[in-house]
Amino acid sequence: MSQTEVLAIWGAVTGTIGTVAGLLGLWLRFRQHGLDKANLLCESSFGFDSPNRSLHKLTVRSIGRRPVAIDNIRYFITPRDWKQRLIKSWHHKKGRWLLHQEPKQKVKLGEGEKTEINISLPNGIAITEIYKVEVVDQAGKAWPVNWVASSRLQKVATQEVLDEIAKENDKRVVRATGYRLGEKYFLETKFNTKPSRSGTPCGRSFWFLDAKKYQEKLQNIKDIQFDQFLSGDIEELS
C-alpha cells in the first residue's frame, strides 16, 4: 500500500471521527438546551375523606431546570347541548365553557419541586363535565394534565347515597347512612339517647373496599345492633 493510499485512509477515518464528534456535541448542546427549559408534569388523582370532603387534586412537578410560576388551572367543560358540543373547540377559543381556578397562594416551582392543588369546582358544575385540564404558567404556556375519561370519572370521583335507615323508641334513636364514595363504600352511624336528641349524637364510621362487605355490615347493624342499642343492651354501634 502506497503512502498516498495510507494518507487517504487516515483522512477518511479522522474525517468520520470528526463528523461523529461534531454530531455528538450538537446533540449534547441540544439536550442541555432542552434541560434548561421549564417543564411541568401534571397529574390528577381522586378520592374522598368523607361524604362532605373530597380529596380530588392535581399534582404538579417541575422536571425542568428553569423555575415556573403557576398562574391558574384551566378546566374545559363539555357543553350540555349536543349542538354546542359539536363546536366546543370554537367555544373554547372564544373563552366559553371554560373555568379558571387560581391557586390560593402563589406557587413557584424550582427543579425537582412539586405542589398539590385541590380541585375546586363551583356548584352546578359536575366533575364528570370536565373533559380536559391544563395548568397555565405566568408566561401563558399551558401544560396538559393527565386527566381521565368521563366514564372513569363517574367511578372514581363521584358519590351517591345508597341506604338510609333509622329506628327509635321513647328513649333512644339510631340511624345509619351508606354511601358509595368513588370506588369505596362508607357507612356512617349515629346514635343517642333522649331527651338529649337535640345535642350532638355519637357515631361511628366504617370504610369498605367492596360492596359485599359493606352490605354484610349494614345488615348486621340494621338487623341486630339497632335493636340491641334501643333496648339498652349496648351503648354504641360497632
Side-chain angles (χ1 to χ4, degrees), residues 5-215:
E5 290 174 330
V6 171
L7 291 174
I9 294 173
W10 176 253
V13 171
T14 56
T16 302
I17 294 174
T19 301
V20 172
L23 291 174
L24 180 60
L26 181 63
W27 178 80
L28 289 174
R29 287 195 298 271
F30 179 79
R31 184 173 181 270
Q32 184 64 35
H33 178 71
L35 291 174
D36 288 340
K37 290 183 177 181
N39 195 2
L40 295 181
L41 177 64
C42 310
E43 299 176 317
S44 57
S45 60
F46 309 92
F48 292 87
D49 185 53
S50 70
N52 300 316
R53 184 169 179 265
S54 70
L55 299 177
H56 307 338
K57 64 183 179 182
L58 305 177
T59 301
V60 184
R61 293 180 173 86
S62 175
I63 56 176
R65 292 182 178 174
R66 184 170 299 178
V68 185
I70 297 176
D71 185 74
N72 69 87
I73 310 300
R74 181 189 295 156
Y75 299 95
F76 291 75
I77 304 170
T78 302
R80 294 172 183 174
D81 181 79
W82 69 270
K83 294 180 181 178
Q84 295 187 39
R85 286 199 295 271
L86 294 176
I87 54 173
K88 61 185 179 183
S89 296
W90 179 83
H91 282 297
H92 295 328
K93 290 180 181 179
K94 297 294 183 179
R96 303 166 186 159
W97 295 102
L98 292 174
L99 177 66
H100 299 273
Q101 174 191 345
E102 294 185 2
K104 293 182 179 180
Q105 297 178 340
K106 292 183 178 180
V107 178
K108 188 173 183 178
L109 300 176
E111 181 183 5
E113 295 180 335
K114 75 171 184 177
T115 187
E116 294 181 344
I117 302 173
N118 293 329
I119 296 174
S120 179
L121 302 177
N123 292 333
I125 299 295
I127 196 168
T128 50
E129 295 180 282
I130 305 299
Y131 75 94
K132 185 170 74 171
V133 182
E134 294 176 341
V135 174
V136 183
D137 65 24
Q138 289 191 336
K141 181 175 176 59
W143 303 89
V145 174
N146 184 15
W147 197 251
V148 299
S150 178
S151 58
R152 180 62 179 164
L153 281 175
Q154 185 65 44
K155 293 181 179 180
V156 301
T158 65
Q159 68 177 66
E160 61 179 319
V161 177
L162 300 177
D163 300 280
E164 290 182 286
I165 53 178
K167 203 170 184 179
E168 65 178 282
N169 57 22
D170 58 344
K171 295 181 179 179
R172 298 187 172 199
V173 58
V174 61
R175 58 178 56 87
T177 307
Y179 303 85
R180 178 191 61 80
L181 301 181
E183 295 184 294
K184 297 180 181 180
Y185 298 85
F186 183 80
L187 183 58
E188 181 180 56
T189 64
K190 294 182 179 179
F191 43 89
N192 65 320
T193 57
K194 300 177 182 179
S196 60
R197 185 189 300 182
S198 59
T200 303
C202 300
R204 288 197 65 185
S205 300
F206 308 89
W207 283 97
F208 306 92
L209 297 178
D210 60 77
K212 181 179 179 181
K213 292 187 180 300
Y214 160 78
Q215 288 292 344

